[in-house]
Amino acid sequence: MIYHGFNIFMLEVGAIARKYRGSEEQGMTRKQDILMSFLKLLADHFKEERSVQFYANSLYVTPKHLTRTVKEITTKTCGEFIDEMVIAEAKILLDDLSYSVGQVADYLHFSDQFFFSKFFKRRTGLSPKEYKNSL
């Protein structure tokens, strides 16, 4: 179920990208280019990097400009996109019973299991252990 939810999320991102991409002849606007570049970077680095500052630096824009641009086009902030990607990956890993909560926290580069559990519970309403037990 989580796997399909993640796929639906990625399809929505793709639909947003197609909607704002326009025809190949017209090209993308700078804002659309920033959004697409951000989403590509996010897909590559969300496991290690969760700060908007990292993505903004990689795109040579300020964090404020990046967040404003992404929110203008998608109605979501960069932080929301980052958190959704991390939570989706965490759920996929937690679905695999061979991974412990600590291993998932390490894989997603959290400083410790407690911080990961707090992050997960704040965004899902369940602790990682409760989530695993509900499967």
Side-chain angles (χ1 to χ4, degrees), residues 1-10 46-47 80-95 104 108 116 119-120 123-124 131:
M1 189 166 94
I2 299 302
Y3 177 76
H4 293 294
F6 181 74
N7 284 337
I8 290 169
F9 170 75
M10 293 307 293
F46 74 93
K47 293 174 191 166
E80 289 170 332
F81 272 107
I82 294 166
D83 290 351
E84 285 177 7
M85 290 288 285
V86 172
I87 291 297
E89 183 72 11
K91 285 180 175 181
I92 290 168
L93 293 170
L94 290 169
D95 285 344
V104 173
L108 295 174
F116 168 68
F119 173 87
F120 190 88
R123 283 154 183 85
T124 65
Y131 178 80

Side-chain angles (χ1 to χ4, degrees), residues 40-87:
K40 286 177 188 173
L41 278 171
L42 181 60
D44 292 339
H45 298 285
F46 74 93
K47 293 174 191 166
E48 304 89 24
E49 295 292 341
R50 286 184 288 281
S51 75
V52 176
Q53 183 73 49
F54 168 81
Y55 297 101
N57 288 346
S58 298
L59 297 171
Y60 305 103
V61 297
T62 65
K64 184 177 179 179
H65 180 67
L66 177 59
T67 298
R68 189 179 327 124
T69 300
V70 169
K71 186 166 178 101
E72 181 180 315
I73 295 174
T74 67
T75 70
K76 291 183 181 181
T77 66
C78 294
E80 289 170 332
F81 272 107
I82 294 166
D83 290 351
E84 285 177 7
M85 290 288 285
V86 172
I87 291 297

Side-chain angles (χ1 to χ4, degrees), residues 1-2 7 12 15 19 22 25 28 48 51 65 82 103 106 110 114 122 126 131:
M1 189 166 94
I2 299 302
N7 284 337
E12 288 177 359
K19 178 180 176 183
E25 295 170 19
M28 289 190 288
E48 304 89 24
S51 75
H65 180 67
I82 294 166
Q103 289 172 317
D106 285 341
F110 281 87
F114 174 75
R122 192 176 329 124
L126 296 170
Y131 178 80

